[in-house]
Amino acid sequence: MALKDDILSELMVNRFISGEELAEKYYVSRNSVWKAVKQLRDEGYEIEAVTNKGYCLKGDINKINAGSIRKKLKSEWSFEILPETDSTNNYAKELAITGKRNKTVVITEKQNGGKGRLGRPFYSPEGNGLYMSVLFRPEINVDSAPLITSFTAVAVAEAVEKLSGQDVNIKWVNDVYMNGKKICGILTEAGFDFEGGTVDYAVIGIGINVLGTDFPDELINIATSIEKETGLKISRNDLAAEVLNNLENMSNGIKDKKYLDIYRKKSNVIGKRIKVTYGSQVFYAEALDINENAALIVKTDNGIKILNSGEVSIKL
Ligand code: BTN
């Protein structure tokens, strides 16, 4: 763990802690402590230095930080925590292209150009959401790539249920819903090795509305947050760790496909009349099931169709 993460963890539990104590505890010089404190200040933490008392963390202690996430992780991950960025997916794709290793996570407090599916924007106000992109180099072939998103939807759904105590649903293909409104969207972008027929990298972008109760007019009827639905201000650091732990065995999970049973159980479209937007076509159908490739099987007036992509809505 980087020294700055250790120091941040100390500041979160101690009212005041001196540079000398920190230096002794972590076997580093006072100058290294000072540099780490400066790094934290550059990242936006308000750290006061008081003579004869030491350092003290002011302001919002619930900011995203790698130290708090790492404490709850089952295995080693690399982190890039950014005060703001256009889109964590764009940032993570750059890292992927420059060869960054498997299990690198980019998280930001605010996105200025958050991206949703089908070229839509993703509302990403400062401090409210968990805006996270996970760079994976999964050992799966190209045909299995579409399963990455559905596996992630289950990982998010189970993490949210565990921390909030509230049931959630999955709207095919990748939205997580609480009480009939969207709390999470997932956007997966991938690079392929065409020669080998394998996935070179996958950047899985996860946007969860965690805190805050105000939404712009155009989203008020369709989106919500965990806080708005449950009154709980759950820690975004804890939620990030829970999601990452659930993503841990992605390659094997995708191969054995057992997670699809949970995906089906949590589906809020199976058995419903739905409106399907598939490319330029719009039609109505009954959603029958989700198959082994996470495709939606629907019954239309013209017979059974299997949808590998597209958008469905339940309100007709
Ligand atoms: C959707 O709802 O259509 C998908 C939304 C995905 C949003 C996340 S937030 C983190 C990552 N960065 C982005 O720009 N998008 C994803």
Side-chain angles (χ1 to χ4, degrees):
M1 197 192 289
L3 179 62
K4 72 177 173 66
D5 296 329
D6 287 322
I7 292 181
L8 186 59
S9 304
E10 295 289 344
L11 290 169
M12 282 181 170
V13 291
N14 290 292
R15 180 81 187 92
F16 279 99
I17 186 158
S18 71
E20 197 176 347
E21 270 178 88
L22 287 167
E24 266 175 29
K25 186 159 181 185
Y26 292 100
Y27 303 105
V28 295
S29 65
R30 293 274 298 274
N31 194 39
S32 302
V33 170
W34 182 84
K35 278 189 188 151
V37 168
K38 183 173 178 314
Q39 265 178 301
L40 289 169
R41 284 179 175 146
D42 290 344
E43 283 177 20
Y45 289 97
E46 215 185 309
I47 300 171
E48 203 180 357
V50 178
T51 319
N52 297 329
K53 282 182 154 180
Y55 295 110
C56 166
L57 184 63
K58 310 281 261 186
D60 182 5
I61 63 156
N62 293 318
K63 281 175 74 120
I64 298 285
N65 74 86
S68 300
I69 301 172
R70 275 208 182 91
K71 275 190 199 156
K72 308 223 160 165
L73 289 174
K74 290 185 195 152
S75 71
E76 191 64 38
W77 297 72
S78 306
F79 287 91
E80 300 253 351
I81 310 291
L82 311 168
E84 73 178 83
T85 188
D86 62 340
S87 151
T88 52
N89 265 33
N90 290 349
Y91 195 96
K93 272 197 292 178
E94 285 295 321
L95 296 181
I97 290 160
T98 53
K100 194 84 180 180
R101 66 186 169 119
N102 184 32
K103 293 174 76 181
T104 296
V105 185
V106 180
I107 312 183
T108 190
E109 289 287 349
K110 176 185 179 190
Q111 297 187 118
N112 301 313
K115 301 188 297 182
R117 287 179 73 228
L118 309 170
R120 295 190 191 118
F122 186 78
Y123 178 62
S124 314
E126 183 162 13
N128 281 0
L130 177 58
Y131 315 119
M132 168 162 94
S133 295
V134 183
L135 162 56
F136 259 123
R137 298 195 183 273
E139 288 147 20
I140 56 171
N141 59 31
V142 173
D143 298 346
S144 300
L147 298 177
I148 292 172
T149 305
S150 50
F151 186 90
T152 304
V154 171
V156 169
E158 294 197 318
V160 170
E161 286 184 347
K162 182 168 171 189
L163 296 189
S164 71
Q166 173 80 40
D167 285 349
V168 297
N169 295 112
I170 299 171
K171 182 170 86 70
W172 187 86
V173 56
N174 62 351
D175 292 338
V176 180
Y177 272 53
M178 190 179 268
N179 297 335
K181 289 185 185 173
K182 177 167 165 172
I183 53 153
C184 169
I186 299 162
L187 174 68
T188 304
E189 302 182 76
F192 299 104
D193 170 1
F194 284 101
E195 304 274 307
T198 53
V199 176
D200 175 25
Y201 71 82
V203 165
I204 310 168
I206 302 168
I208 309 178
N209 304 327
V210 183
L211 305 170
T213 51
D214 294 332
F215 284 85
D217 288 350
E218 67 276 16
L219 294 179
I220 212 150
N221 292 321
I222 50 178
T224 190
S225 70
I226 298 173
E227 181 180 1
K228 195 167 174 185
E229 296 307 311
T230 64
L232 294 174
K233 285 179 187 284
I234 68 169
S235 152
R236 292 173 300 153
N237 291 311
D238 290 354
L239 184 58
E242 200 63 44
V243 172
L244 294 174
N245 283 335
N246 289 349
L247 286 176
E248 187 80 43
N249 285 320
M250 168 172 282
S251 300
N252 289 336
I254 284 178
K255 280 174 196 151
D256 78 19
K257 300 191 177 189
K258 284 198 193 112
Y259 80 92
L260 281 169
D261 291 336
I262 305 171
Y263 186 89
R264 289 185 192 101
K265 273 194 201 117
K266 293 195 178 302
S267 168
N268 61 6
V269 300
I270 294 177
K272 301 256 174 62
R273 285 286 299 166
I274 54 170
K275 179 180 170 186
V276 180
T277 307
Y278 191 67
S280 56
Q281 302 171 45
V282 177
F283 56 89
Y284 294 91
E286 185 191 346
L288 298 180
D289 203 354
I290 287 159
N291 74 11
E292 290 298 283
N293 300 317
L296 186 66
I297 305 172
V298 298
K299 187 173 156 195
T300 70
D301 293 344
N302 301 321
I304 304 286
K305 277 191 197 307
I306 295 177
L307 306 174
N308 290 302
S309 61
E311 184 89 335
V312 302
S313 87
I314 311 163
K315 287 174 201 145
L316 298 181

